[in-house]
Amino acid sequence: MQSILIHLTYFPNIAHFVAIANAKDVMFEVDDNFLKQTYRNRTYIYGANGKLALNIPVIHTQKNRQKYRDVKIFNETKWQDLHWKSLLSAYRTSPFFEFYEDELHPLFNLKTDYILDYNLKCFEVICDCLQLDLQTSKSEVYQKTIENTSDFRYLVNAKKEQPQAFDSYTQVFSDKHGFIPNLSILDLLFNEGPNALNYLESQTITPQ
């Protein structure tokens, strides 16, 4: 796979990272309108009771349309503390949590105004953890159709998610609730560790 266009999401899920890990160049779509019910400000992890959503609160303007690049985080709540505590309770016993804890924990003390900037910082740290070296750029204008680039923007929609046939791997609570596919990249990282990149590169996904 050569060049792809994809959304920058909050700790992207497996589908996003399969597309990214198998691409030569990655362009992030940042100039489209911000929509609710998407992975832009949401990720899913595997908690003791099953699938758990972590949401970043955002400030919605009175205007109907707001560009993704302009959306601000509502930092009046202690959402980062809550997310970190959720990760601790979900993954403290996973094989590789301690291996990555020191790299990831500072992200939950980082104060950022814009969600796009925060997602980018999280993405960069995850790429360091994966030892994934990428050529990335950001879109400058919104285009409905694109040429010479594989379009993976459809993956951002959390409500209309299309099932992907990814291989299973061992998860902390799989004996309770079975394998839950397409969770946050954090789930794969904490469970598979240095093997996570090999896993991503061995999976396939098709553009829209």
Side-chain angles (χ1 to χ4, degrees), residues 35-80:
L35 301 172
K36 297 177 184 178
Q37 311 283 340
T38 72
Y39 286 110
R40 291 174 183 86
N41 63 320
R42 174 188 306 185
T43 197
Y44 288 99
I45 63 171
Y46 201 148
N49 297 316
K51 195 172 178 180
L52 175 66
L54 301 181
N55 287 290
I56 300 177
V58 297
I59 299 169
H60 291 288
T61 63
Q62 297 304 311
K63 295 185 297 182
N64 286 333
R65 294 185 179 176
Q66 192 178 16
K67 297 281 189 188
Y68 179 20
R69 63 166 84 236
D70 298 329
V71 174
K72 288 188 172 184
I73 299 173
F74 183 68
N75 279 316
E76 303 307 309
T77 66
K78 295 190 179 298
W79 65 271
Q80 285 168 298

Side-chain angles (χ1 to χ4, degrees), residues 12 22 25 35-36 47 49 57 72 80 93 101 105 107 110-111 116 136 153 177:
N22 288 289
D25 300 298
L35 301 172
K36 297 177 184 178
N49 297 316
K72 288 188 172 184
Q80 285 168 298
T93 61
E101 183 178 3
H105 191 207
L107 292 169
L110 181 69
K111 293 301 175 213
L116 184 65
T136 63
R153 290 176 293 185
H177 309 287

Side-chain angles (χ1 to χ4, degrees), residues 117-184:
D117 295 337
Y118 186 72
N119 285 348
L120 182 60
K121 186 62 186 171
C122 293
F123 179 80
E124 288 169 349
V125 172
I126 289 293
C127 285
D128 285 344
C129 292
L130 290 168
Q131 297 188 303
L132 176 59
D133 193 18
L134 285 175
Q135 295 285 331
T136 63
S137 59
K138 295 177 187 173
S139 64
E140 294 180 0
V141 292
Y142 178 75
Q143 293 176 284
K144 190 164 185 180
T145 56
I146 48 170
E147 292 181 4
N148 305 320
T149 301
S150 297
D151 191 347
F152 284 99
R153 290 176 293 185
Y154 74 96
L155 293 175
V156 78
N157 196 324
K159 285 296 179 189
K160 297 179 183 173
E161 194 170 307
Q162 299 176 14
Q164 307 287 344
F166 297 141
D167 294 340
S168 61
Y169 54 90
T170 303
Q171 295 171 315
V172 176
F173 300 108
S174 55
D175 56 333
K176 284 186 177 182
H177 309 287
F179 178 71
I180 302 180
N182 205 29
L183 296 176
S184 168

